[in-house]
Amino acid sequence: MHDYEPRPLRDQVDAIYRRDSRRVLATLIRLLGDFDRAEEALHDAFAAAVEQWRRDGVPQNPRAWLVSAGRFKAIDHLRRRARFNASLEQIAQQLELDAEEETEEYEGLEDDRLRLVFTCCHPALAADAQVALTLREVCDLRTEEIARAFLAQPATIAQRIVRAKQKIRDARIPYQVPEPTELPQRLASVLRVMYLVFNEGYAASSGESLTRGDLSAEAIRLGRQLLELLPEPEVMGLLALMLLQESRRAARTDAQGELVLLEHQDRSLWDRALIAEGRLLIGQAMASRRFGPYTLQAALAALHAEAADLPSTDWASMVELYDALLRMQPSPVVALNRSVALAMRDGPEAGLAAVDAILASGELADYHLAHATRADFCRRLGRNGEARAAYERALALTRLEPEQRFLEQRLRELD
């Protein structure tokens, strides 16, 4: 918004953008049939809103107003450009005809964002492109944020997104609800998207705030809708995992927004209703005997939720679950998390040996949590020189300000 806009209007429009822009974009993509055209229409709609709402006031249904304005702005743009490309006039005529004939009765998925998730996760797209495109278009994550989630370079992610859009356009991938027989083959990518979105909200990759509740809430909302659509064990497992992690949000930061480690969290602040819901879903997923890695991760989170404090946590079961998870889904990040459980069960030397093996492989050389974990093991063993070097490396790698302040505090404590 421009600086000269009246503050109350700017605040209202900004709030509507944060709340509804992704919903509006998803609907515009469905209506206009093109990502880039829909994004341009979205920005045009909000620009028009600033002008008209200043005069007429904010409408009763701003989302519907923005969708309508964006659609007709797109038609106007197409007509202006039709002077140079006659085919655009045909597109404009068809969009206008669709607008006149459209009804509000949609079949299948009720939310356009969930439709958009499945479109972005079309099997014709590469797996990494599916996730990157969904995070960008559905959840409005910046390219840099997606790159952090992928442990990749922003330029690489930007190229994936551009290529995915081109593929959708060139292959004429339809923006429609998958048939029930098609849903399972797209499920793995959709679950991965939701998991990454939730993680970015639960532990933001950069910025001033440790968490982004809007992203976590969006992932949980989509997870609930997906469970209604496709009640598969791994959908239950992922939703359970998100609920159990979300249950600890209030205890993860103090009143100043600073990081509070698990061992120091006030467990009375944990949301017992979310924990109960998560545990029920785990039980249902486990009973199916068709569960996968998300259900195992949820079971790990449940062990934390059931413990009165850190020492009384069932660390032996925790290590066993991590072993099962590694067999099912080998990952250096899972191995890193296992090293923490191993250190709690067998002592920091065992944890240090495990994390050193991971770092020696080179897979997590630029992952700040790997170096922070090593630093903590060294600190507990009294190896302060090594702890300092590892904390400094972690500090150089993290982009999240509360984590930076926490690591700086650890370095001061070593002094």
Side-chain angles (χ1 to χ4, degrees):
M1 300 303 138
H2 299 297
D3 290 338
Y4 57 76
E5 292 298 340
R7 173 59 63 179
L9 176 61
R10 288 181 60 189
D11 290 347
Q12 288 183 74
V13 175
D14 287 345
I16 290 168
Y17 184 90
R18 288 192 299 271
R19 186 187 69 228
D20 287 337
S21 64
R22 293 300 101 185
R23 292 184 175 94
V24 173
L25 177 64
T27 301
L28 286 172
I29 292 172
R30 173 174 59 81
L31 296 175
L32 302 176
D34 184 273
F35 280 84
D36 294 333
R37 192 177 296 147
E39 288 172 356
E40 183 179 16
L42 175 71
H43 294 302
D44 287 344
F46 271 95
V50 171
E51 296 298 322
Q52 188 164 332
W53 295 357
R54 187 196 303 117
R55 183 180 65 249
D56 302 335
V58 178
Q60 186 174 3
N61 188 339
R63 178 184 168 194
W65 190 99
L66 289 162
V67 169
S68 179
R71 170 188 246 174
F72 287 106
K73 287 286 185 182
I75 293 172
D76 289 343
H77 280 307
L78 286 169
R79 289 226 158 99
R80 286 198 297 271
R81 296 168 187 165
R83 291 177 297 173
F84 310 101
N85 186 340
S87 65
L88 296 180
E89 177 62 29
Q90 296 176 347
I91 297 174
Q93 290 177 356
Q94 185 61 52
L95 290 176
E96 196 163 45
L97 182 63
D98 292 343
E100 294 172 356
E101 296 180 350
E102 180 184 325
T103 69
E104 292 301 318
E105 297 178 0
Y106 306 134
E107 296 180 359
L109 301 176
E110 293 297 327
D111 190 306
D112 275 331
R113 283 176 297 176
L114 201 51
R115 295 174 188 255
L116 182 55
V117 169
F118 278 102
T119 301
C120 293
C121 294
H122 194 279
L125 302 176
D128 286 342
Q130 293 173 13
V131 180
L133 182 64
T134 308
L135 292 174
R136 178 70 193 93
E137 300 301 329
V138 178
C139 301
D140 201 23
L141 266 67
R142 299 190 306 273
T143 304
E144 292 78 12
E145 293 172 319
I146 302 171
R148 294 285 295 179
F150 273 108
L151 303 179
Q153 294 298 316
T156 302
I157 298 301
Q159 290 172 359
R160 287 178 191 169
I161 293 171
V162 169
R163 286 197 295 266
K165 289 181 180 179
Q166 290 174 341
K167 178 71 173 180
I168 289 173
R169 182 177 63 249
D170 296 343
R172 297 184 179 181
I173 293 174
Y175 183 84
Q176 64 184 24
V177 180
E179 295 295 329
T181 55
E182 297 176 319
L183 287 175
Q185 67 180 349
R186 300 202 202 172
L187 184 59
S189 292
V190 172
L191 293 179
R192 186 180 176 210
V193 167
M194 291 183 183
Y195 187 48
L196 286 172
V197 173
F198 179 83
N199 277 348
E200 182 63 27
Y202 184 72
S205 60
S206 62
E208 299 178 358
S209 176
L210 182 69
T211 64
R212 293 180 57 181
D214 57 332
L215 292 179
S216 297
E218 175 69 4
I220 290 172
R221 191 195 67 81
L222 290 173
R224 292 189 191 280
Q225 288 197 343
L226 184 61
L227 184 59
E228 291 180 9
L229 176 73
L230 195 65
E232 288 292 314
E234 272 298 81
V235 181
M236 298 175 191
L238 177 57
L239 181 56
L241 173 60
M242 295 190 294
L243 293 171
L244 288 163
Q245 298 283 55
E246 184 68 11
S247 72
R248 303 204 295 262
R249 177 183 293 277
R252 295 188 63 237
T253 56
D254 61 19
Q256 290 72 43
E258 299 301 332
L259 173 65
V260 179
L261 294 182
L262 180 63
E263 60 187 297
H264 300 307
Q265 287 178 15
D266 180 357
R267 299 190 178 210
S268 67
L269 298 176
W270 291 5
D271 190 323
R272 293 295 156 183
L274 292 181
I275 291 171
E277 184 181 358
R279 292 180 64 185
L280 179 63
L281 287 168
I282 293 170
Q284 293 172 351
M286 289 284 195
S288 73
R289 298 188 179 278
R290 294 187 294 112
F291 58 86
Y294 292 115
T295 302
L296 286 179
Q297 291 178 70
L300 285 161
L303 288 177
H304 285 299
E306 293 163 1
D309 51 35
L310 198 72
S312 62
T313 303
D314 187 351
W315 294 109
S317 295
M318 190 85 68
V319 173
E320 291 177 2
L321 281 171
Y322 272 121
D323 289 339
L325 183 58
L326 279 170
R327 288 192 297 270
M328 186 178 291
Q329 189 181 58
S331 160
V333 174
V334 172
L336 177 66
N337 293 335
R338 178 188 178 277
S339 74
V340 176
L342 188 66
M344 294 301 297
R345 189 191 72 177
D346 299 340
E349 282 198 16
L352 181 60
V355 78
D356 279 345
I358 297 168
L359 288 170
S361 72
E363 291 180 291
L364 298 182
D366 294 327
Y367 187 44
H368 71 283
L369 292 179
H371 296 282
T373 302
R374 186 181 196 282
D376 185 63
F377 293 154
C378 290
R379 178 184 62 83
R380 289 160 61 185
L381 289 167
R383 295 159 62 168
N384 287 0
E386 291 180 68
R388 171 173 292 280
Y391 278 132
E392 288 174 346
R393 178 61 175 154
L395 181 59
L397 290 169
T398 186
R399 296 293 177 266
L400 189 61
E401 293 177 19
E403 286 185 339
Q404 290 170 351
R405 291 191 292 271
F406 173 80
L407 293 170
E408 288 166 352
Q409 177 61 31
R410 283 292 201 218
L411 285 167
R412 287 193 294 271
E413 291 171 359
L414 288 177
D415 291 337

